[in-house]
Amino acid sequence: MKLFRKYLLIPVVLFGTIGIMVSGCSKEKQAEPRQPIAATVSSVYTGTDYAIRILLPDNFNADSAYHVLYLLDGNDYFGEMTKVIHAQYRYNTILVGIGYKGTNRRMTDFTYPADKISDKSGGGIQFVKFLTKELLPFIQAQGIKATQQTLAGHSLGGYLALYLTFQTEIANPFNNIIAISPSLFWHDAYIFQLEASRFNQSKNLPVHLYLAVGDIEGVTMNTHFKAFINKLTLRNYTGLQLNHELLRNRSHNNTPITGFEKALTTIQ
Amino acid sequence: MKNIIIAFFIALPIYVSAQDGRQFNKKIELGFALDPVQGGSGVVWKAEQRLFNSRHIEGFLGFSGQVHRNQERKFSTAHKGGTTDLGLYVVSDWVYYPFASKHLFAGAEGFAGITNYKSAGTLSIPEYGVKESFSHTYTYFNYGVGLNMGYDFGRITTTVFGKASLKGLVDKGRTRPFDTDSRGFVGVSVGVKF
């Protein structure tokens, strides 16, 4: 019996060791994304403290310039987009998540003009000032240089990105605008009025626009989306690169990450 | 005539409560449901066979259906149309009667089947020169759970329920409870056992 145990023990230990080695090889540990830098930026324009998270590339070098992607609704999407950036753009893209330290104010910050839908709405122009006059300089002050700058938003965030594009009070510093499931219906489709006003001032619109909507987001979202795309196409702006997409089998809360991913393939 | 109506309403509860619900193995229900998140309302129905019966617990298996319509009036009035969901599901109900009298109950259900989502409508904003139409149909496998409580008046059963698709929680997409392809409903129903 002792002999049996002795000889049984040898193959068990041998095969067990091989098994552990093989299993260790097949599950090669994947590198995790870098820890994002967290900062707070207080805005004098909106009176709000913003939670800013910055994901630097793996090989970040302060002497090099990168694509800087500014992501609205950072509280919701930064974690998911970190995985996308790390998997596909880890060496050439800096992700900046724009969230809130306290109460979420997207209904105020991402809307203009004020609408009866919410008495908190209508602060879009102040938020645009925060983005262009406070946040972008803050990012540059961190030693980050940009080859191109992109603003990405979903839903009301997508609307804000388009509002920033077509308003004429503040110059648009972004090369690319990503608007996924944008709330084009806001304030009786005010964005159409804004676009017409912009078109009458200048037919030059030097920006890359990517817009997408889910095909199961309903009539309101899809009809406004189609109408806006048709309007932009008819305008034939000089300098405008327009990409748009209907995301198949996607409901409203299922479009943001897929939309951002698809948009980045047209921008990078 | 007035006396007949009064007599009817006095006699009905006596009639139904005099009957023992335990002898009935089938039930059909018809109800009204709201989607408090996405909006809209509709009807639900259910036809089930009792498969399990103990002192406090009963189990049912059957089919349920739902028609739900949302006019999408929440954010815009410039369009006409909306979305319609048609559902047909296999459903299993498990009901717990806390008292021996078997009147008051609380239950849980699971459902799985097919939902057909149809979205169609037009948008017209003359001041911006906008006239657009849209139509889309999507049929998908849907599944979820529900909770309910109610009271049996003999063979008549009344229920208040809430149910939710789990598609937005466990499929490959983003977590999106109560989105358009993972709706949640609250409602009331009345049924008959036979």
Side-chain angles (χ1 to χ4, degrees):
Chain A
M1 193 62 186
K2 280 184 180 175
L3 199 66
F4 177 75
R5 280 184 187 168
K6 183 180 175 184
Y7 285 105
L8 184 65
L9 196 63
I10 293 169
V12 166
V13 171
L14 184 66
F15 286 113
T17 307
I18 292 171
I20 290 167
M21 286 169 69
V22 168
S23 123
C25 288
S26 63
K27 291 178 184 174
E28 188 182 335
K29 200 174 180 184
Q30 292 200 338
E32 292 291 318
R34 294 171 70 127
Q35 279 297 312
I37 298 165
T40 301
V41 177
S42 301
S43 172
V44 295
Y45 293 105
T46 66
T48 302
D49 292 339
Y50 293 92
I52 305 301
R53 281 182 287 176
I54 306 166
L55 180 73
L56 295 175
D58 281 4
N59 59 342
F60 178 72
N61 178 348
D63 294 331
S64 301
Y66 300 88
H67 174 203
V68 184
L69 171 60
Y70 291 85
L71 180 66
L72 300 174
D73 282 316
N75 297 86
D76 293 326
Y77 304 137
F78 186 83
E80 288 171 89
M81 281 305 290
T82 293
K83 293 173 187 166
V84 173
I85 297 297
H86 182 69
Q88 299 171 51
Y89 308 104
R90 74 172 76 169
Y91 300 116
N92 61 357
T93 301
I94 294 172
L95 177 65
V96 179
I98 306 165
Y100 295 94
K101 286 290 283 185
T103 308
N104 190 311
R105 280 171 39 102
R106 70 193 302 275
M107 181 55 81
T108 305
D109 286 346
F110 298 171
T111 57
Y112 186 90
D115 189 272
K116 60 182 182 298
I117 288 174
S118 169
D119 56 9
K120 294 176 181 172
S121 64
I125 190 64
Q126 300 304 320
F127 186 74
V128 168
K129 288 176 183 171
F130 157 69
L131 282 179
T132 56
K133 297 182 177 180
E134 294 176 322
L135 182 60
L136 267 63
F138 171 81
I139 295 298
Q140 286 160 10
Q142 307 309 304
I144 291 172
K145 300 182 185 70
T147 52
Q148 56 178 333
Q149 301 187 115
T150 300
L151 179 65
H154 173 256
S155 195
L156 283 177
Y159 174 82
L160 185 279
L162 292 174
Y163 167 71
L164 183 148
T165 305
F166 290 100
Q167 57 77 39
T168 51
E169 191 176 331
I170 312 286
N172 174 16
F174 296 99
N175 311 88
N176 312 293
I177 297 292
I178 301 172
I180 309 300
S181 305
S183 305
L184 300 169
F185 54 79
W186 182 261
H187 195 70
D188 297 328
Y190 169 76
I191 197 76
F192 287 86
Q193 181 185 329
L194 193 68
E195 185 278 332
S197 172
R198 172 70 173 74
F199 180 76
N200 290 334
Q201 282 191 30
S202 170
K203 293 175 179 56
N204 187 37
L205 189 63
V207 69
H208 179 182
L209 278 184
Y210 176 92
L211 291 92
V213 70
D215 60 4
I216 54 171
E217 294 197 51
V219 171
T220 308
M221 294 294 288
N222 276 280
T223 51
H224 282 80
F225 184 85
K226 281 179 73 178
F228 195 64
I229 294 297
N230 288 339
K231 182 68 75 181
L232 292 181
T233 304
L234 281 172
R235 296 294 199 199
N236 200 21
Y237 282 102
T238 55
L240 172 64
Q241 184 186 340
L242 176 64
N243 292 101
H244 57 89
E245 201 161 352
L246 188 62
L247 303 174
R248 287 191 67 241
N249 304 338
R250 294 277 166 176
S251 54
H252 189 67
N253 291 316
N254 205 9
T255 58
I257 306 305
T258 298
F260 295 145
E261 274 191 273
K262 286 175 178 283
L264 288 175
T265 63
T266 71
I267 287 169
Q268 294 283 344
Chain B
M1 186 62 187
K2 184 180 171 185
N3 290 340
I4 293 172
I5 293 171
I6 292 169
F8 174 79
F9 281 105
I10 291 172
L12 183 65
I14 298 168
Y15 169 72
V16 294
S17 63
Q19 297 176 70
D20 185 355
R22 275 168 278 197
Q23 64 185 294
F24 306 114
N25 287 323
K26 296 179 175 63
K27 67 175 178 179
I28 55 172
E29 292 179 27
L30 182 65
F32 173 78
L34 297 169
D35 178 343
V37 178
Q38 295 294 329
S41 59
V43 295
V44 292
W45 60 265
K46 202 187 285 186
E48 291 180 302
Q49 168 76 42
R50 187 168 66 186
L51 299 179
F52 179 82
N53 184 18
S54 72
R55 190 172 176 186
H56 290 285
I57 294 174
E58 293 185 7
F60 296 85
L61 183 66
F63 293 96
S64 75
Q66 185 162 9
V67 179
H68 183 84
R69 176 71 181 165
N70 180 11
Q71 287 294 119
E72 294 188 41
R73 289 288 180 191
K74 195 171 177 182
F75 297 117
S76 168
T77 54
H79 71 276
K80 290 177 180 171
T83 59
T84 304
D85 287 63
L86 302 174
L88 184 62
Y89 312 104
V90 173
V91 60
S92 180
D93 254 327
W94 289 87
V95 179
Y96 173 67
Y97 291 91
F99 307 113
S101 62
K102 276 199 156 182
H103 289 300
L104 183 70
F105 65 86
E109 73 167 48
F111 67 88
I114 297 295
T115 298
N116 175 265
Y117 166 98
K118 184 170 176 59
S119 176
T122 58
L123 173 71
S124 177
I125 315 176
E127 60 268 38
Y128 303 142
V130 167
K131 195 168 178 63
E132 203 60 68
S133 64
F134 176 77
S135 178
H136 182 68
T137 302
Y138 173 47
T139 302
Y140 58 96
F141 180 62
N142 200 357
Y143 43 89
V145 294
L147 294 172
N148 58 64
M149 59 184 300
Y151 196 88
D152 286 351
F153 301 93
R155 63 194 300 174
I156 307 295
T157 180
T158 57
T159 309
V160 177
F161 64 86
K163 62 179 184 175
S165 167
L166 295 179
K167 182 176 160 60
L169 295 176
V170 298
D171 71 358
K172 289 179 181 173
R174 293 188 76 239
T175 301
R176 53 187 195 289
F178 311 125
D179 218 354
T180 44
D181 62 346
S182 54
R183 290 182 185 274
F185 299 97
V186 293
V188 293
S189 68
V190 177
V192 180
K193 295 178 177 181
F194 55 95

